Amino acid sequence: MKNLFAKIAAAGLFMLAPVIAQAAEGYSTANVNMRAGPSTRYPAVAVIPAGSSVEIRGCLSDLNWCDVEFYGGRGWVSGQYVQVLYQQRRIYVGPQYYRPLGIPVIRFSVDNYWDRYYRNRDFYRERDRWSRGPDYYYRDRDNRDRDNRDRDWRDRDQDGRDLDRNWRDRDRNRDGDRDSRNRDRDWRNRDRDQDGRNDNRRDDRRDGDRRPDRRDFDCRPGDPSCNQ
């Protein structure tokens, strides 16, 4: 029975050994951005100074990008900026060295990775767009920017049309006020002319009703009307 337990324990240790070895120590060869995904189009989460030590947690099989840990933070760095110690010399990380160095081949998923490490980051709010890939995200962003610019131009054109309409209405109102003033002036002139004609008629009636005075006529000698 003891031998059975010993064999089980040994088998368990044998199975755990690859897991323990599933990481490799690397060194950054330049000041490099650690990003939120395996592409230079993903957001940068930190800058790893040249010569800094990083823990390589895994790399992609189809892209030379590796998931690394740096001072407790996690992110992705291109293998062309990371070197590892292999057979007493430093080499750049590449797929041919994954197995000898104990680096696992992994996959990348925005949903799982970002849920685990980037919940407190601003870009996490756009996780659904980023989950379709950085190309889709930037294409969608460019489309949104273009739509916003088009909407701004439409609003600007509408503002211009509204301003033109306001000026036309103002000119129309000014013309209407001018016409109204002209009509008022015409009516005042017409009333003034009518008052003048009425005054002339009153004067004519007054002259017709006034009886002639004797002094209005010249009496000729011998005219009997002169003796009245």
Side-chain angles (χ1 to χ4, degrees), residues 30-130:
N31 295 333
V32 61
N33 285 318
M34 184 169 68
R35 295 188 176 273
S39 170
T40 56
R41 308 196 76 179
Y42 281 102
V45 296
V47 176
I48 302 176
S52 298
S53 175
V54 296
E55 286 292 324
I56 304 173
R57 295 297 179 180
C59 297
L60 300 178
S61 61
D62 53 343
L63 294 175
N64 191 18
W65 281 79
C66 297
D67 176 20
V68 303
E69 182 177 353
F70 175 69
Y71 278 99
R74 291 288 288 272
W76 291 80
V77 177
S78 172
Q80 62 182 339
Y81 294 105
V82 178
Q83 288 183 335
V84 292
L85 188 63
Y86 178 70
Q87 294 181 354
Q88 304 301 318
R89 61 189 181 92
R90 286 189 177 186
I91 59 172
Y92 283 97
V93 175
Q96 67 273 27
Y97 300 112
Y98 292 169
R99 183 181 296 275
L101 294 171
I103 298 175
V105 176
I106 60 175
R107 295 181 179 180
F108 171 71
S109 169
V110 167
D111 294 335
N112 295 333
Y113 199 87
W114 287 23
D115 282 344
R116 185 177 300 175
Y117 301 114
Y118 300 137
R119 284 183 174 273
N120 61 338
R121 297 281 184 162
D122 292 337
F123 54 78
Y124 182 81
R125 292 175 295 184
E126 296 186 292
R127 181 190 58 174
D128 292 339
R129 288 194 177 92
W130 281 106

Side-chain angles (χ1 to χ4, degrees), residues 92-227:
Y92 283 97
V93 175
Q96 67 273 27
Y97 300 112
Y98 292 169
R99 183 181 296 275
L101 294 171
I103 298 175
V105 176
I106 60 175
R107 295 181 179 180
F108 171 71
S109 169
V110 167
D111 294 335
N112 295 333
Y113 199 87
W114 287 23
D115 282 344
R116 185 177 300 175
Y117 301 114
Y118 300 137
R119 284 183 174 273
N120 61 338
R121 297 281 184 162
D122 292 337
F123 54 78
Y124 182 81
R125 292 175 295 184
E126 296 186 292
R127 181 190 58 174
D128 292 339
R129 288 194 177 92
W130 281 106
S131 63
R132 302 181 187 182
D135 292 337
Y136 175 86
Y137 172 82
Y138 280 100
R139 183 168 60 252
D140 184 52
R141 189 189 66 174
D142 293 341
N143 292 335
R144 282 179 289 159
D145 292 342
R146 184 172 60 254
D147 292 341
N148 291 335
R149 287 194 299 270
D150 292 342
R151 184 170 59 252
D152 291 341
W153 278 109
R154 287 195 299 269
D155 293 342
R156 189 176 305 172
D157 292 340
Q158 183 63 38
D159 293 340
R161 288 192 294 271
D162 293 340
L163 183 61
D164 292 339
R165 184 168 58 252
N166 292 336
W167 277 109
R168 287 196 299 270
D169 293 341
R170 189 176 304 173
D171 292 339
R172 190 178 301 112
N173 293 334
R174 188 181 299 115
D175 293 337
D177 293 340
R178 187 182 301 111
D179 293 340
S180 178
R181 289 194 297 270
N182 291 336
R183 284 194 297 272
D184 292 341
R185 184 170 60 250
D186 293 340
W187 279 108
R188 287 195 299 272
N189 293 335
R190 189 176 303 169
D191 292 340
R192 191 179 300 112
D193 294 340
Q194 184 66 31
D195 292 340
R197 286 193 294 271
N198 292 336
D199 292 341
N200 291 335
R201 283 196 295 271
R202 283 195 296 271
D203 292 340
D204 293 341
R205 286 197 300 272
R206 190 179 301 114
D207 293 339
D209 295 340
R210 185 168 54 87
R211 294 179 180 180
D213 194 3
R214 292 174 58 186
R215 291 173 296 182
D216 293 337
F217 301 95
D218 294 333
C219 295
R220 295 181 180 180
D223 191 344
S225 62
C226 293
N227 296 326

